[in-house]
Amino acid sequence: MGRSREVKILGIESSCDDTSAAVICDRVLLSNVIANQKVHEKYGGVIPELASRVHQQNIIPVVDTALKEANITKSDLDAIAFTKGPGLLGSLLVGVSFAKGLAASIGVPLIEVNHLQGHVLSHFLEEDGKTKIFPSLPFLCLLVSGGHTQIIVVKDYLDFEIIGETIDDAAGEAFDKCAKVMGLPYPGGPVIDALAKEGNPTAFSFAKPKVADFNYSFSGLKTSFLYFLQKKIAENPAFVEENKIDLCASIQQTIIDILMDKLIKAVAKTGIKDVAIAGGVSANSGLAGRLHQTSAQLGWNVFVPERKFTTDNAAMIAITAYFKYQKALFSSLDVTPFAS
Ligand code: KG4
Ligand code: ZN
């Protein structure tokens, strides 16, 4: 049987504060353009109304650049994919509306993508000239982002079973909130990661939550970190400044301990040894390091995404749409986004 025709898909991601567009040809990435919104930094978090306004300014140039970098035009596209949710409603609406308009005008199918599924399936992206080993099905994925923390059994590309998740804050939120109380800029995760490299991870210890099964909890850690700092600052106003790198290393170590404890239990219970991480927090060098160390001890095959595929990007939306395209899972033009 002859090889079927190549499929070119444009993916659009606008769930939070990054506007992104990507083009893939089958599973090969041709372009992945991301416009970050710097406007939120001074507020210490994403302001939804500002985010949707900036998406509106960015979306046309970002899509345009993605098509140019992929060396194609609109008429070469076979489908348009967009993030349906979860995310900020006003932000999602910009991507959804744009995708609908474009799909209707060029007469190609529209494909809705779940943002979380996108993070996980980013592991199946291919790049020209790069050899890559892919997780084999079924595999376990620890999805750690600013809004979610889940342990997923990926049974097939589009068949996921969530076996554990956070009952309150996400791991990324724990990083960001702890950074904020230390006066570090937003988003705090990458800042803590960088400072932690210089610090002592056992300088301070924080209580770890006791949660059933493969579930997580991070809200207690943030609160105990805040109370600990308030007490120390009362004794010495320069405490944070004098201990910043050790505080970062210690809080990062605690978050990694919490994440790894349940992941190790999930591998033991399921017997699945292909283990991936995905989402913004999977960019954390300490987490990746610990995963590799654990894999050497326990014989896992681990998969850490390249940094450019860890945080929000449209390449992950396009690859997920590729798998949906194979099954003709298309959306109608009256599809609406969902926030959570
Ligand atoms: O996946 P993502 O870009 O957006 C959501 O879907 O939430 O994740 C953003 C989160 C933020 O909380 C950010 O602080 C965190 O990922 N993050 C990191 C690192 N890079 C991004 N956390 C720890 N270490 C990093 N290097
Ligand atoms: Zn995300």
Side-chain angles (χ1 to χ4, degrees):
M1 204 172 77
R3 197 184 185 293
S4 57
R5 197 179 69 82
E6 285 172 335
V7 174
K8 293 196 177 71
I9 300 177
L10 169 73
I12 294 169
E13 153 65 33
S14 70
S15 65
C16 191
D17 59 341
D18 295 324
T19 320
S20 180
V23 177
I24 57 169
C25 177
D26 290 341
R27 282 170 50 178
V28 181
L29 187 62
L30 302 183
S31 65
N32 185 31
V33 178
I34 306 174
N36 303 114
Q37 300 187 0
K38 295 281 171 230
V39 59
H40 307 285
E41 272 170 19
K42 61 174 180 279
Y43 299 102
V46 177
I47 310 293
E49 173 60 25
L50 285 179
S52 54
R53 275 191 237 172
V54 181
H55 281 305
Q56 287 185 44
Q57 290 160 9
N58 287 346
I59 189 107
I60 292 174
V62 165
V63 168
D64 219 39
T65 310
L67 292 174
K68 281 203 185 90
E69 285 185 10
N71 222 350
I72 64 164
T73 64
K74 287 189 301 215
S75 57
D76 297 319
L77 292 168
D78 297 292
I80 311 292
F82 66 93
T83 305
K84 178 179 156 109
L88 301 169
L89 197 60
S91 290
L92 290 163
L93 271 167
V94 178
V96 177
S97 316
F98 186 89
K100 280 185 191 178
L102 186 57
S105 76
I106 60 174
V108 297
L110 186 64
I111 303 176
E112 66 191 58
V113 172
N114 178 296
H115 180 85
L116 305 177
Q117 201 163 25
H119 272 302
V120 176
L121 295 180
S122 64
H123 281 284
F124 295 99
L125 281 162
E126 293 177 16
E127 285 177 278
D128 251 348
K130 281 195 193 173
T131 32
K132 200 170 149 183
I133 300 167
F134 305 102
S136 34
L137 298 164
F139 67 97
L140 280 181
C141 188
L142 173 68
L143 173 67
V144 271
S145 73
H148 295 84
T149 303
Q150 300 178 334
I151 298 179
I152 303 165
V153 179
V154 183
K155 297 175 178 172
D156 204 339
Y157 300 115
L158 301 173
D159 183 8
F160 287 23
E161 185 191 350
I162 298 164
I163 58 168
E165 63 190 325
T166 182
I167 57 167
D168 43 54
D169 289 352
E173 258 176 299
F175 271 105
D176 295 341
K177 288 178 177 173
C178 290
K180 194 169 182 172
V181 299
M182 287 188 280
L184 299 174
Y186 176 85
V191 184
I192 290 185
D193 189 359
L195 291 169
K197 290 192 176 113
E198 316 292 323
N200 172 8
T202 58
F204 306 104
S205 68
F206 305 101
K208 300 194 183 88
K210 289 188 176 56
V211 195
D213 306 320
F214 304 125
N215 293 328
Y216 289 109
S217 166
F218 287 101
S219 67
L221 178 63
K222 166 201 71 190
T223 313
S224 67
F225 187 65
L226 176 67
Y227 289 161
F228 170 81
L229 287 190
Q230 283 173 342
K231 189 168 150 273
K232 292 290 187 185
I233 292 166
E235 293 161 10
N236 169 16
F239 178 78
V240 171
E241 215 36 60
E242 287 169 6
N243 296 279
K244 198 168 272 174
I245 54 174
D246 288 345
L247 285 166
C248 287
S250 302
I251 199 73
Q252 175 170 300
Q253 166 106 328
T254 309
I255 294 171
I256 295 170
D257 286 346
I258 296 170
L259 290 171
M260 290 302 295
D261 176 57
K262 295 297 174 86
L263 190 59
I264 290 169
K265 288 184 175 136
V267 172
K269 176 81 188 291
T270 59
I272 298 171
K273 290 199 163 190
D274 272 25
V275 183
I277 55 175
V281 181
S282 68
N284 187 268
S285 56
L287 178 60
R290 183 79 73 80
L291 197 66
H292 285 297
Q293 198 185 331
T294 309
S295 77
Q297 288 161 352
L298 302 178
W300 300 358
N301 304 311
V302 296
F303 302 87
V304 178
E306 264 185 77
R307 179 169 296 257
K308 64 183 174 197
F309 300 134
T310 57
T311 44
D312 294 345
N313 66 85
M316 68 187 202
I317 303 307
I319 185 73
T320 306
Y322 168 79
F323 293 117
K324 296 187 94 170
Y325 188 95
Q326 304 305 316
K327 295 189 174 249
L329 294 170
F330 303 138
S331 308
S332 66
L333 283 175
D334 55 14
V335 60
T336 50
F338 72 98
S340 58

